[in-house]
Amino acid sequence: MTRRVLVTGASGILGRQLQARCPQGWTVLPFARSELDITDRQRVREVIAAAKPDAVVHAAAMTRVDDCEKEVDHTFRVNWIGTQNVAEAAAAVDAHMVHLSTDYVFDGTKVGPYLEEDPTGPLSVYGRSKLFAERAVQSSCRRWAVLRTQWVYGPGGTNFVDTMRRLGGEGKSLQVVDDQHGCPTFAGHLADGIYRVLDEDPGSGIYHLSGGGATTWFQFAREIFRQTSLEVEVSPCSTEQFPRPAPRPANGVMRNYRLELSIGDPMPAWQKGLEEYLSLTQHASP
Ligand SMILES: NC(=O)c1ccc[n+]([C@@H]2O[C@H](COP(=O)([O-])OP(=O)(O)OC[C@H]3O[C@@H](n4cnc5c(N)ncnc54)[C@H](OP(=O)(O)O)[C@@H]3O)[C@@H](O)[C@H]2O)c1
């Protein structure tokens, strides 16, 4: 029997991959912002009640983290209240609610990778809004999973890989931040991991779901140039030399520990994700 998964934020980076990589046994009901604005509580209720999906993957969010610092009310309305709307509507039809969260819920001071139960301490408006959203899901739903991911890239929208390819192709020498640590995550692998969670249901809870391994933006850039055979002069710099409005966790590395211990870690190494993304997009100009 085919099960149905309703996807919010369907035109975003992850939303597209959830459609592109939908496995056998699932049908996607995609809702972009133009079809379903998650801040409209009544509409969210009506749409989810009418669709009666088996699962909801909530991929809609305000993700421009620097803009979140000045658009505070908008950020909380979309990321917190919007998520509460989706969670309540999913609970009303007893759908499995899958919510995407972020390493920005952590303050980045831990030595070593973050595990699911480590204390949170968001530094930014985006991080706080996503933490409130996690709590809204936990308190509203009977069957739920909060999946924390990070450094996501994929076709559609701007991303670090395309930016590096473009700048590298222009022959410029580059400086890239080398004191922020994280796990690059190819959106296609993230979508596969989400379907695995839906299929094998490890139980309600918070799970980390990022590309395997860890790196810095500088090392990530070097790997992009290695895999694309671009000869680029790239040197490391510090976060202080490249200030941004939203503070980033210096260490955002998350281990997919709870999945490792339950159904097995579904995420390939981050270098594999890059390989797959580049092979998908090699003929497209970045
Ligand atoms: N990208 C990352 O590095 C990253 C890292 C950690 C966690 N996440 C989380 O992963 C999820 C998917 O992110 P993504 O990378 O796919 O981001 P994305 O490409 O920015 O997609 C988010 C989508 O949400 C939509 N949206 C914004 N406000 C909305 C509203 N009020 N109602 C309905 N839809 C709305 C956006 O539509 P418009 O384009 O029309 O604004 C966009 O299509 C999000 O929960 C995000 O917080 C992402």
Side-chain angles (χ1 to χ4, degrees), residues 11-14 33 36-38 59-61 63 101 126 130 149 152:
S11 60
I13 296 170
L14 175 61
R33 185 220 283 255
L36 183 61
D37 183 331
I38 59 166
T63 57
S101 192
Y126 173 73
K130 295 293 286 186
T149 190
V152 178

Side-chain angles (χ1 to χ4, degrees), residues 12 16 28 49 51 73 78-79 89 111 121 127 145-147 190 198 201-202 208 210 236-237 245 247 262 276 282:
R16 287 164 189 246
V28 180
D73 288 347
V78 174
N79 289 356
V111 177
V146 166
L147 305 179
L190 178 59
L198 285 174
D201 189 2
H208 290 175
S210 303
C237 71
S262 51
E276 193 168 331
Q282 62 187 345

Side-chain angles (χ1 to χ4, degrees), residues 214-272:
T215 189
T216 66
W217 291 110
F218 168 67
Q219 295 295 349
F220 187 19
R222 295 231 307 195
E223 181 65 13
I224 293 165
F225 298 137
R226 192 188 69 76
Q227 289 198 20
T228 52
S229 307
L230 279 170
E231 299 243 336
V232 182
E233 203 180 301
V234 53
S235 53
C237 71
S238 68
T239 302
E240 264 179 16
Q241 289 171 270
F242 193 59
R244 305 293 295 271
R248 273 75 172 154
N251 174 27
V253 177
M254 297 186 290
R255 182 169 170 189
N256 304 335
Y257 196 40
R258 197 163 173 184
L259 287 175
E260 280 175 35
L261 298 177
S262 51
I263 59 172
D265 181 358
M267 297 301 284
W270 67 265
Q271 295 91 337
K272 287 270 167 222

Side-chain angles (χ1 to χ4, degrees), residues 33-263:
R33 185 220 283 255
S34 54
E35 294 137 353
L36 183 61
D37 183 331
I38 59 166
T39 63
D40 184 341
R41 186 173 185 224
Q42 187 58 29
R43 167 110 180 113
V44 171
R45 272 190 191 177
E46 285 168 7
V47 164
I48 294 182
K52 289 197 187 60
D54 299 283
V56 173
V57 176
H58 176 41
M62 164 60 168
T63 57
R64 288 176 277 105
V65 296
D66 291 321
D67 291 342
C68 291
E69 294 298 309
K70 45 184 198 298
E71 297 175 36
V72 178
D73 288 347
H74 174 70
T75 300
F76 278 98
R77 189 172 296 116
V78 174
N79 289 356
W80 178 27
I81 305 305
T83 298
Q84 186 179 309
N85 293 341
V86 174
E88 283 176 0
V93 295
D94 203 26
H96 192 173
M97 170 75 187
V98 174
H99 170 65
L100 273 297
S101 192
T102 167
D103 59 313
Y104 278 59
V105 299
F106 295 118
D107 68 9
T109 57
K110 184 179 176 183
V111 177
Y114 280 96
L115 306 182
E116 287 80 352
E117 293 297 335
D118 281 331
T120 51
L123 304 171
S124 61
V125 170
Y126 173 73
R128 281 201 296 283
S129 71
K130 295 293 286 186
L131 182 61
F132 288 10
E134 288 190 0
R135 293 177 184 153
V137 171
Q138 294 175 45
S139 59
S140 303
C141 300
R142 189 178 66 82
R143 293 193 300 137
W144 59 274
V146 166
L147 305 179
R148 291 188 188 135
T149 190
Q150 64 186 290
W151 296 24
V152 178
Y153 62 93
T158 51
N159 67 57
F160 182 78
V161 180
D162 291 351
T163 303
M164 287 300 117
R165 282 202 290 176
R166 179 172 51 77
L167 295 175
E170 290 169 3
K172 291 177 180 152
S173 61
L174 303 175
Q175 282 200 310
V176 182
V177 170
D178 196 31
D179 57 1
Q180 285 172 31
H181 300 256
C183 313
T185 305
F186 169 49
H189 288 169
L190 178 59
D192 296 346
I194 292 170
Y195 283 114
R196 178 91 181 270
V197 167
L198 285 174
D199 277 330
E200 298 194 26
D201 189 2
S204 293
I206 296 174
Y207 296 86
H208 290 175
L209 189 65
S210 303
T215 189
T216 66
W217 291 110
F218 168 67
Q219 295 295 349
F220 187 19
R222 295 231 307 195
E223 181 65 13
I224 293 165
F225 298 137
R226 192 188 69 76
Q227 289 198 20
T228 52
S229 307
L230 279 170
E231 299 243 336
V232 182
E233 203 180 301
V234 53
S235 53
C237 71
S238 68
T239 302
E240 264 179 16
Q241 289 171 270
F242 193 59
R244 305 293 295 271
R248 273 75 172 154
N251 174 27
V253 177
M254 297 186 290
R255 182 169 170 189
N256 304 335
Y257 196 40
R258 197 163 173 184
L259 287 175
E260 280 175 35
L261 298 177
S262 51
I263 59 172

